[in-house]
Amino acid sequence: MNKEKLKYSLFCLFSLVLMPFSAHANMVWPSLYIAEGLRSWYVILIGLIIEIVFVKCFLKESFLKSVLIAFVMNLVSTVLGVVLIPLSGFMGEFLMIPFDTATFHLSHWLFSYVLAMLSNVLIEGLCVTIIFKHKFGKIFWWLCVANAISIIICILFHGLTMPNLM
C-alpha cells in the first residue's frame, strides 16, 4: 500500500469514527445512547462507587488504593470508551442485519449492552493488569458484574427515557 493510499484510508477511518459525534447520530444506535449516558456525571459517580466497592471486596486493597484503582480504570475507560463503545455498536448493527430487526428492537439493545460491557471490561481489565499488576483472570468476572450494573443504570436513566424509542 503506497503512502497516499494509507493517508487516505486513515483519513476515512478517522472521519467514520468522528461522524456519529458530529452528526448527532444518537438516534441511530442504542450504543450511542449508552455511550452518551456513560458520560453523565451521576452515572459516572454511581459506577465509580460500585467499582470502588468491587475493588475493595475482590482485590482486598486499602480504601485509598481501591479509590485510586477505580478512578484510574474509569478515567482510561471513559477516554477510550468514547470511541470504542459507539464503534462496537456500529459493528454490532452490521452483525444484526441478518436478523432483519429494527435498530431499536430489544435484541439490538441487548447486543449493544453486552458489547458496551465487554468493551469496558476489556479496557478496565487491561488497565488494572498493566498499571496495578493484577491478573486479568482474577478481575474479569467481577468487572463484568460491576460494568453490567453501571450500564443497566445508564440505560434506565438515559436509554429508556429518550423520545421516539421503539
Side-chain angles (χ1 to χ4, degrees):
M1 182 180 267
N2 68 24
K3 208 174 200 180
E4 289 302 312
K5 224 176 191 182
L6 179 63
K7 285 181 185 178
Y8 178 74
S9 297
L10 289 174
F11 173 76
C12 289
L13 178 65
F14 183 71
S15 298
L16 283 174
V17 168
L18 291 180
M19 187 183 308
F21 301 111
S22 63
H24 299 287
N26 59 348
M27 23 188 161
V28 179
W29 304 296
S31 64
L32 288 174
Y33 281 122
I34 294 169
E36 185 177 321
L38 287 173
R39 291 192 316 248
S40 65
W41 70 269
Y42 46 90
V43 173
I44 291 171
L45 182 63
I46 293 168
L48 197 57
I49 291 168
I50 290 168
E51 288 184 353
I52 289 169
V53 170
F54 274 72
V55 169
K56 179 77 177 122
C57 291
F58 291 101
L59 292 182
K60 310 286 190 232
E61 297 285 359
S62 69
F63 177 75
L64 287 177
K65 187 150 186 195
S66 298
V67 170
L68 177 66
I69 291 171
F71 178 78
V72 168
M73 71 183 188
N74 277 284
L75 180 67
V76 172
S77 73
T78 298
V79 170
L80 296 177
V82 165
V83 173
L84 289 180
I85 291 173
L87 190 60
S88 71
F90 182 70
M91 289 187 288
E93 288 300 316
F94 281 109
L95 295 174
M96 295 298 283
I97 288 173
F99 300 104
D100 195 31
T101 54
T103 300
F104 286 106
H105 186 267
L106 181 61
S107 61
H108 290 252
W109 274 104
L110 293 173
F111 197 53
S112 293
Y113 169 78
V114 170
L115 289 175
M117 182 198 64
L118 289 176
S119 296
N120 279 349
V121 168
L122 180 65
I123 296 166
E124 291 176 358
L126 289 175
C127 180
V128 172
T129 300
I130 292 168
I131 297 172
F132 297 102
K133 309 297 183 209
H134 288 282
K135 293 183 179 176
F136 190 77
K138 183 179 178 182
I139 61 177
F140 177 77
W141 290 110
W142 65 260
L143 270 177
C144 283
V145 172
N147 279 287
I149 294 168
S150 296
I151 294 171
I152 284 285
I153 290 168
C154 173
I155 289 172
L156 290 176
F157 277 114
H158 290 277
L160 299 180
T161 59
M162 295 287 184
N164 302 323
L165 286 183
M166 306 208 198

